[in-house]
Amino acid sequence: MSLRRAGLRRFGRDAIRFALAPVGSVVSVRTSAPELVLTYDDGPVAGMTDRLLELLASRSATATFFVLLSRVRRDPALTRALLEDGHEVALHGIDHVDAATIAPDVFRRRMHDGRRELEDTIGREVRWYRPPYGHLTFAGWRSVRDAGLTPVIWSTSVRDGAAALTDDQRIAAARAGARRGAILLAHDNFASALDGVDDGPEPQVDRLRLASEILDISAARGLRVRSLGEALEAGRVVNRGVFVRPRGR
């Protein structure tokens, strides 16, 4: 492929993404406040989420926890403890099945049912939804919005789902992406057969060390670590039209 054709293809992709941005997913926060958004996926799970809560409290930090109902049902009290400690609870799914592999009518029903069940459990409105693996089709996006939720992806990741990386490499990834308005992806659990998936063996990750390092890096850069809802009190969302094609149907 010639450089000219490659350039035209890149221009076309960028133009499509720009056009779709108003109907895309939240990827960051535009803000003048020195704040970093910390998010956790795949929990809650006793023995880790509760320990993260203690660490975050000791550093006056808050986060948004994108929870799986397959985990919430096992420990609804821990889910409610997230709110009691000042954090934000959002929906990650009924389970961890890739949303792009689910039939549109089934996915639409799962969005409505998932939001309703989570709100009944925590007694509070749920605003955000993060699709497992970050995969969302355009039809899926419409279903998320129809359920009264806003899809959220991320702008940077600690890469704690990658088995081949060391914790030092994950910390380096967090350091590279820690900036004002960034939405940082981390995990307080690893999805498994209990969540309807088989993603291989669980990576060896010191999640508490990673969390502590994220807090240290943020403090060194003068950044407060906040939940998405809190960060939006002084900012506004930045959307990006990132969609995948339906898979495996």
Side-chain angles (χ1 to χ4, degrees):
M1 181 183 298
S2 69
L3 291 177
R4 176 182 171 80
R5 289 180 62 190
L8 288 173
R9 288 188 64 178
R10 284 195 297 271
F11 176 80
R13 287 196 299 266
D14 290 345
I16 290 171
R17 285 181 172 176
F18 178 80
L20 291 176
V23 294
S25 298
V26 178
V27 295
S28 61
V29 175
R30 182 169 290 115
T31 179
S32 59
E35 295 181 336
L36 169 75
V37 177
L38 177 59
T39 66
Y40 281 99
D41 285 9
D42 296 355
V45 58
M48 179 50 61
T49 306
D50 46 340
R51 296 173 70 189
L52 284 170
L53 292 182
E54 293 177 0
L55 175 61
L56 293 172
S58 72
R59 305 289 289 273
S60 299
T62 59
T64 299
F65 286 81
F66 288 88
V67 300
L68 295 171
L69 285 172
S70 49
R71 297 290 171 167
V72 170
R73 293 164 183 160
R74 289 172 166 266
D75 204 336
L78 179 55
T79 308
R80 289 189 286 268
L82 296 171
L83 294 171
E84 293 166 1
D85 280 16
H87 303 285
E88 188 174 37
V89 172
L91 181 64
H92 196 30
I94 289 177
D95 49 34
H96 207 270
V97 174
D98 189 335
T101 68
I102 302 172
D105 58 332
V106 175
F107 181 70
R108 186 179 306 110
R109 184 169 61 251
R110 284 162 64 101
M111 282 293 94
H112 285 270
D113 292 348
R115 179 185 180 182
R116 186 179 307 112
E117 182 177 344
L118 183 55
E119 289 183 342
D120 286 346
T121 299
I122 64 176
R124 194 173 300 184
E125 182 182 8
V126 175
R127 300 174 63 184
W128 318 113
Y129 165 73
R130 173 175 283 161
Y133 314 105
H135 294 167
L136 193 63
T137 66
F138 183 70
W141 174 86
R142 290 188 299 180
S143 293
V144 173
R145 297 298 293 149
D146 183 62
L149 296 167
T150 298
V152 178
I153 311 294
W154 56 87
S155 48
T156 188
S157 171
V158 74
R159 303 189 66 190
D160 51 352
L165 298 183
T166 66
D167 281 345
D168 286 341
Q169 290 172 313
R170 297 181 178 108
I171 292 166
R175 182 177 292 109
R179 62 185 180 276
R180 183 178 62 195
I183 297 177
L184 175 62
L185 168 66
H187 296 78
D188 55 337
N189 185 40
F190 182 72
S192 67
L194 294 174
D195 312 297
V197 296
D198 180 4
D199 289 336
E202 181 173 357
Q204 297 301 305
V205 182
D206 187 339
R207 301 191 189 280
L208 288 175
R209 180 192 172 199
L210 293 184
S212 181
E213 292 283 354
I214 290 168
L215 296 170
D216 287 345
I217 292 166
S218 300
R221 297 182 178 181
L223 297 171
R224 297 187 296 269
V225 175
R226 291 290 178 260
S227 67
L228 178 55
E230 286 185 331
L232 289 175
E233 292 175 3
R236 59 189 179 90
V237 298
V238 176
N239 290 338
R240 187 179 180 192
V242 181
F243 301 105
V244 301
R245 294 180 179 180
R247 303 179 178 190
R249 297 180 194 161

